[in-house]
Amino acid sequence: MKIAMIGTGYVGLVSGVCFSDFGHDVICVDKNPDKIAMLERGEVPIYEPGLDALIQKNVESGRLSFSTDLPAAVDGAEAVFIAVGTPTRRGDGHADLTYVMAAAEEIARALTGYAVVVTKSTVPVGTNRQVKQTIAKANPKAEFDVASNPEFLREGAAIEDFMKPDRVVVGVQNDRAAELMEEIYRPLYLREFPIITTDLESAEMIKYAANAFLATKITFINEIAALCERVGADIKQVSKGMGLDGRIGNKFLHAGPGYGGSCFPKDTKALARIGQDHAIPMQITETVIKVNDETRRRMTEKITDMMGGHLAGKTVAVLGVTFKPNTDDMREAPSLTIIPALIGAGARVRVVDPQGRREGEDLLPGVHWVEDAYKAAQNADALVILTEWNEFRALNLKRLAKKMATPALADLRNIYSARDAKRAGFVAYVSVGRTDYRAEGA
């Protein structure tokens, strides 16, 4: 089957590459000639483990190619996926559909035969019907159907998620479109992964509801963590006790500096706005957004309190700035709130991140980038763990403490324990939802 993937951002690139690995002929299209040239050279514009090798494999097989020529890619395609950005619109929280509708118009003019136009981007309920109207208006003679096929890819594990999904959601309006989508996903059908076929609106809502629920779990456990600190409970034990309940599950119950990334912040805001527009306020989701913002501020306060309330002239080493490990994505990362607050209070900030520097240099002006945690700790007054990269999970704490001017550790991902830190020589240790300590005179 010939597939055109419009957009080579995170979702479009991963999806297009994986479809080609299913055996389809895929052309990935992007308006940015520099990005296409990079891909044609075998270079990958995003960091995703295993993606570079999968691209090389399918390019060499002849099933995968890249182009800036949308009409040529759409010509003869049986399925055209829209995978362009839907950022939060300034001022009102809505998902900005400008790029989606622009892509729909271009696709309409390029259609040469029957095709299913599939929205892969995360879009508000009702968007696919708008896409259908836009295409029909731009090309009244076009023979097509629309489908909604939201993605559920975790950055850092996207290929595994695509190839072995919890479920695939497909929203359609008729059997013809459903059969074509079934053919696209045939390798997953054959391996009996769950494929859910719904109407358009239900497919659109599933995506928002799922992300809002996961964001709620993260925010809930962070609120419980704050209470644990006051009453003397241990959030790790509480999370474990909760997660063993099969009705709750243990995923997304890890206390930390709050959620970030390309999906949860944007999608919770969009869902809240959809509710407002339909006079059904999403009160839980609205509270989740508020509490997540407060959690980030609380992390800054924890660091400040650990350092005696004064940051001016102090050197703080920060380990990890991407919103999660195994990605270079800085979108809505907690570091973008916490680090500027530290700098604003007069601290000198050093940063270490295996993949974050490419985006981080522009987003975090005023920081000093170093190669590893031990260089960052040299004569530093505090060490802060913000992202739980594997290389930060097995640090030599004694070595770090000896290098520091004031060995103080803010472990905002609960990787270590107060006992570990104390034995290593740290005079102060703070975490999230657990007992901390600060030695007298520290």
Side-chain angles (χ1 to χ4, degrees):
M1 185 175 292
K2 180 181 178 183
I3 294 174
M5 182 67 63
I6 313 304
T8 61
Y10 190 87
V11 172
L13 186 57
V14 172
S15 299
V17 172
C18 289
F19 279 139
S20 71
D21 206 57
F22 282 177
H24 301 302
D25 293 322
V26 180
I27 303 177
C28 293
V29 180
D30 202 285
K31 286 183 174 295
N32 186 337
D34 293 335
K35 184 183 286 190
I36 294 300
M38 178 184 294
L39 288 164
E40 288 179 332
R41 292 193 302 269
E43 300 171 13
V44 185
I46 59 172
Y47 177 73
E48 178 62 34
L51 186 60
D52 51 353
L54 204 60
I55 288 175
Q56 182 180 354
K57 170 189 171 184
N58 287 286
V59 167
E60 289 176 354
S61 74
R63 292 190 299 266
L64 178 65
S65 60
F66 306 98
S67 176
T68 58
D69 190 344
L70 185 146
V74 171
D75 185 12
E78 295 156 271
V80 183
F81 283 79
I82 298 175
V84 296
T86 53
T88 299
R89 196 164 67 194
R90 286 188 178 183
D92 63 7
H94 266 303
D96 188 343
L97 299 178
T98 302
Y99 304 114
V100 171
M101 295 308 164
E105 283 193 23
E106 284 194 65
I107 291 165
R109 291 191 291 268
L111 288 172
T112 56
Y114 176 77
V116 176
V117 179
V118 190
T119 303
K120 199 74 175 159
S121 305
T122 301
V123 295
V125 178
T127 300
N128 280 277
R129 291 188 183 273
Q130 293 179 44
V131 168
K132 185 174 183 178
Q133 292 168 2
T134 298
I135 294 173
K137 183 178 179 181
N139 183 0
K141 295 182 180 180
E143 186 184 6
F144 72 100
D145 284 307
V146 296
S148 175
N149 181 213
E151 55 83 20
F152 300 95
L153 305 178
R154 296 170 299 159
E155 294 190 32
I159 295 171
E160 180 80 2
D161 286 347
F162 198 100
M163 300 297 192
K164 299 177 181 179
D166 292 331
R167 79 293 202 195
V168 174
V169 175
V170 177
V172 293
Q173 291 182 301
N174 56 47
D175 290 342
R176 187 178 185 184
E179 289 169 4
L180 187 140
M181 293 300 292
E182 181 177 341
E183 187 63 29
I184 290 173
Y185 282 105
R186 180 166 294 280
L188 300 184
Y189 273 99
L190 294 174
R191 289 184 287 160
E192 299 185 346
F193 287 102
I195 313 288
I196 302 171
T197 302
T198 73
D199 56 86
L200 295 175
E201 287 77 12
S202 296
E204 292 165 335
M205 183 60 80
I206 287 169
K207 170 67 174 180
Y208 280 110
N211 277 357
F213 188 79
L214 295 175
T216 300
K217 288 187 75 173
I218 294 169
T219 306
F220 179 82
I221 205 64
N222 280 334
E223 272 204 319
I224 295 297
L227 185 58
C228 283
E229 292 173 9
R230 291 294 179 90
V231 302
D234 186 323
I235 192 61
K236 280 206 162 185
Q237 295 178 23
V238 173
S239 296
K240 184 176 181 180
M242 288 175 60
L244 289 172
D245 187 324
R247 297 166 301 175
I248 298 172
N250 61 3
K251 293 182 179 179
F252 291 86
L253 288 181
H254 304 288
Y259 63 74
S262 61
C263 293
F264 290 175
K266 173 174 67 70
D267 293 352
T268 50
K269 290 173 185 174
L271 181 60
R273 188 64 196 191
I274 293 167
Q276 293 166 8
D277 288 348
H278 291 83
I280 305 292
M282 298 289 100
Q283 297 178 65
I284 293 174
T285 301
E286 290 173 358
T287 302
V288 164
I289 296 167
K290 177 175 177 288
V291 172
N292 194 60
D293 290 341
E294 291 172 351
T295 296
R296 296 183 181 196
R297 288 194 291 271
R298 195 167 74 87
M299 296 302 107
T300 305
E301 291 169 2
K302 290 173 77 70
I303 297 167
T304 304
D305 291 345
M306 180 185 73
M307 299 180 71
H310 304 289
L311 294 175
K314 300 291 182 68
T315 298
V316 180
V318 176
L319 308 186
V321 294
T322 55
F323 88 94
K324 62 182 285 188
N326 296 323
T327 181
D328 58 355
D329 199 338
M330 292 284 295
R331 284 175 287 186
E332 300 287 343
S335 63
L336 299 181
T337 300
I338 295 169
I339 290 176
L342 299 178
I343 293 173
R348 296 184 295 268
V349 177
R350 298 174 187 157
V351 167
V352 181
D353 192 287
Q355 296 293 333
R357 185 167 185 171
R358 182 167 58 180
E359 289 190 28
E361 283 190 326
D362 291 332
L363 295 171
L364 293 170
V367 307
H368 178 62
W369 294 85
V370 293
E371 291 76 26
D372 63 58
Y374 302 101
K375 288 184 179 179
Q378 188 69 45
N379 296 320
D381 299 290
L383 187 68
V384 178
I385 300 176
L386 264 187
T387 310
E388 66 278 32
W389 285 91
N390 279 339
E391 64 189 68
F392 303 146
R393 291 181 177 277
L395 294 168
N396 185 326
L397 296 183
K398 285 185 179 179
R399 181 181 169 193
L400 287 169
K402 287 179 180 178
K403 284 179 172 291
M404 297 177 68
T406 307
L409 175 60
D411 179 8
L412 303 185
R413 295 291 181 174
N414 291 349
I415 294 174
Y416 301 100
S417 68
R419 186 177 66 175
D420 292 336
K422 199 170 225 177
R423 284 179 173 176
F426 281 91
V427 297
Y429 173 85
V430 299
S431 58
V432 182
R434 300 185 300 174
T435 301
D436 304 327
Y437 75 86
R438 190 164 181 264
E440 284 188 28

